[in-house]
Amino acid sequence: MDKNQEILDQESQHLASATRIGYFDMVVDHGEGATITDADGRTYLDLLASASATNTGHSHPKVVQAIANQAQKLIQYTPAYFSNTTTAKLVDRLAALAPGDFDHEVAFGNSGSDANDAIIKFARGYTGRQYVVSFTGAYHGSTYGSLTVSSCSLNMTRKIGPLLPGVVKMPFPGPSERLARESDDEFSERLFDQFLLPFKTYLPADEVALVLIEPIQGDGGIIKTPQHYMDLLYEFTRKHGIVFAVDEVNQGLGRTGKMWSIDNFNIAPDLMSVGKSLASGLPLSAVVGRKDIMESLDAPANVYTTAGNPVTAAAALATLDVIEEEDLPGRSARLGQKAAEFFQNAAEKYNFIAEPRVYGLNAGIDIVDQAGQPDSEAATKLIYRIFELGAIMITLGGNTLRFQPPLVITDEQLDEAFKILDQAFTELAAGKLKAPETDHHIGW
Ligand SMILES: Cc1ncc(COP(=O)(O)O)c(C=O)c1O
């Protein structure tokens, strides 16, 4: 038996099923840049970047050095009681980086999930209102607050209610809602009418604290909100005194070809949540937002013992240096252009590939059957073949290929990845791919 399997068999005796979404029987041992190596010494191109949590690549030397230096100096003193020299620097740095020409404050957390919970707290605290509005298809996290505002898997709510009260979900303007031959503006206006319906029938706008949105949905399928819809939404929040917050946990920090995904829309949010790649994958998150909103709650409304821990803060400072020095947003835009061309060509060549959605090094590719309907089985065959050929890629929502490599991936590695994908596409078209023999459910 190989080492991967041996470790998995052992681990499965005591690992709770709710904590792992099943894909490949692989155990990661180490990583470097855009590659990871498994317990049997097999190296893969990583087209997932630990779920967009390693935009700077695996074990970037500058980040490693910063972590080592800080660990020598001080591993932890809780920022809940005392400031420390490293975390204090990060507060200034994040406040300066946030979009919007107004004063910002920062609240740290340990995960994207708790950052989104904090957004709900601050918005309610500031407005004195209870209702929270989010969108179908969203993934905001796994704590009670963040899973209540999410809407992308029944397993996230099944058997665990009651959830947070006062949450209303609106239809997200994604491709599944779109009618044939509808223009962007027509589509935006029709979906925005659907957004308005609850406000005309049971939801008083002056009792709504928050609208929370992923400007580009991540786990929902890498789906960008149409600009006109976003403008209408933002104007609505201005008119009714509602806090407008964006979730940048998945799509922030250069992923979309800009520093923040909301920068693609020319809007400055009141609050935003950041996590995942912020500390190159160490557990650190933050809410960054308008000072007046952030000042609406008093301690200990949002303290955690390890939130803003100095080692994670040192990693974040080094991560932000790398993002700037290596111009990772610019790199994501440039290589994203190459990816867009590759996937566009593939869509023209293979009828099982629908219109690709590519925003920087960040793509959702729907795999469909002859009738244009989602084909999860074909998508599963593809990711398994891609895995055999040496690259890690997973599916979202069953039939969407998720393409999110580390932003430091080299041109050569990207070309190699395209070669692998093209081979898998060709083999699927030729009817050569089989469904994997596995006894576990695959994917979400
Ligand atoms: C958009 C978005 N928000 C929040 C989260 C939750 O972050 P975490 O898993 O760090 O709690 C995720 C995780 O996938 C995410 O994609």
Side-chain angles (χ1 to χ4, degrees):
M1 194 193 292
D2 65 19
K3 245 203 175 130
N4 285 315
Q5 203 53 56
E6 206 176 294
I7 294 169
L8 286 170
D9 288 348
Q10 180 60 35
E11 189 195 45
S12 68
Q13 315 260 323
H14 302 291
L15 184 77
S17 320
T19 63
R20 169 111 15 100
I21 304 166
Y23 283 100
F24 314 119
D25 290 338
M26 187 206 37
V27 177
V28 184
D29 184 70
H30 57 276
E32 187 187 351
T35 63
I36 52 173
T37 302
D38 74 8
D40 284 307
R42 185 143 196 252
T43 296
Y44 298 86
L45 278 170
D46 182 9
L47 306 181
L48 177 60
S50 178
S52 195
T54 55
N55 287 3
T56 59
H58 297 289
S59 298
H60 192 291
K62 285 202 171 154
V63 179
V64 171
Q65 195 59 54
I67 292 170
N69 291 348
Q70 181 62 46
Q72 293 257 330
K73 219 170 111 184
L74 177 73
I75 290 181
Q76 159 72 344
Y77 206 98
T78 181
Y81 290 130
F82 302 115
S83 177
N84 69 74
T85 45
T86 310
T87 306
K89 276 190 212 148
L90 183 60
V91 172
D92 283 351
R93 187 94 179 254
L94 278 175
L97 262 182
D101 193 15
F102 41 77
D103 276 351
H104 291 91
E105 284 193 353
V106 177
F108 289 115
N110 300 294
S111 68
S113 303
D114 71 40
N116 287 322
D117 279 14
I119 281 183
I120 299 170
K121 293 185 203 174
F122 286 116
R124 284 182 167 170
Y126 178 69
T127 58
R129 306 171 178 182
Q130 63 151 318
Y131 288 112
V132 168
V133 169
S134 63
F135 289 86
T136 55
Y139 185 84
H140 294 297
S142 204
T143 51
Y144 262 104
S146 62
L147 71 76
T148 304
V149 288
S150 300
S151 164
C152 63
S153 164
L154 284 176
N155 282 355
M156 287 174 66
T157 52
R158 202 191 293 280
K159 299 192 264 189
I160 54 181
L163 307 182
L164 196 70
V167 173
V168 179
K169 274 160 214 157
M170 305 299 193
F172 183 75
S176 61
E177 302 296 322
R178 196 159 180 148
L179 303 176
R181 289 181 291 283
E182 211 173 16
S183 73
D184 272 8
D185 283 1
E186 285 163 354
F187 176 51
S188 294
E189 280 161 28
R190 186 171 57 80
L191 266 284
F192 197 68
D193 279 346
Q194 292 181 18
F195 174 91
L196 290 177
L197 191 61
F199 292 99
K200 291 176 182 158
T201 47
Y202 68 91
L203 185 63
D206 61 1
E207 291 184 23
V208 174
L210 169 69
V211 167
L212 173 64
I213 189 166
E214 291 169 85
I216 298 177
Q217 283 195 339
D219 291 327
I222 319 290
I223 304 177
K224 188 176 181 188
T225 311
Q227 176 74 50
H228 185 46
Y229 185 95
M230 192 66 109
D231 289 338
L232 292 169
L233 183 66
Y234 181 67
E235 278 162 29
F236 181 84
T237 63
R238 297 311 83 177
K239 186 168 161 206
H240 296 284
I242 298 169
V243 173
F244 177 78
V246 296
D247 181 337
E248 294 281 347
V249 172
N250 185 311
Q251 297 283 303
L253 296 160
R255 172 60 61 193
T256 69
K258 308 247 187 214
M259 187 61 177
W260 309 112
S261 66
I262 192 66
D263 292 342
N264 293 288
F265 297 85
N266 218 3
I267 284 173
D270 297 319
L271 302 177
M272 69 178 185
S273 52
V274 192
K276 288 196 189 259
S277 282
L278 176 58
S280 287
L282 286 196
L284 176 71
S285 66
V287 176
V288 190
R290 295 185 87 100
K291 190 182 174 84
D292 51 342
I293 301 175
M294 300 294 289
E295 280 299 314
S296 63
L297 299 176
D298 295 320
N302 199 59
V303 300
Y304 301 92
T305 305
T306 53
N309 157 282
V311 177
T312 64
L317 287 165
T319 299
L320 295 173
D321 286 346
V322 170
I323 291 175
E324 269 170 39
E325 287 161 13
E326 300 185 18
D327 184 21
L328 294 188
R331 191 175 172 75
S332 176
R334 180 176 72 77
L335 295 182
Q337 196 52 45
K338 272 178 88 166
E341 279 161 31
F342 168 76
F343 286 118
Q344 199 57 54
N345 287 338
E348 280 158 28
K349 198 160 144 199
Y350 304 106
N351 59 8
F352 54 82
I353 299 181
E355 183 67 27
R357 299 179 294 273
V358 190
Y359 314 106
L361 268 176
N362 183 49
I365 312 297
D366 294 345
I367 303 301
V368 293
D369 62 17
Q370 302 286 350
Q373 294 305 306
D375 191 344
S376 298
E377 196 185 319
T380 302
K381 286 178 183 171
L382 279 173
I383 58 167
Y384 265 75
R385 184 61 182 141
I386 290 163
F387 176 66
E388 279 175 0
L389 293 170
I392 301 291
M393 181 180 241
I394 66 165
T395 47
L396 293 167
N399 78 310
T400 302
L401 302 181
R402 173 180 188 167
F403 176 78
Q404 293 191 306
L407 305 181
V408 297
I409 191 169
T410 64
D411 283 77
E412 295 72 32
Q413 285 172 324
L414 195 58
D415 291 339
E416 178 61 26
F418 294 153
K419 247 167 90 186
I420 290 175
L421 297 182
D422 196 51
Q423 181 174 342
F425 294 156
T426 311
E427 290 178 5
L428 181 69
K432 285 192 190 154
L433 297 189
K434 283 203 307 268
E437 283 172 30
T438 159
D439 58 359
H440 54 245
H441 169 82
I442 294 155
W444 282 63

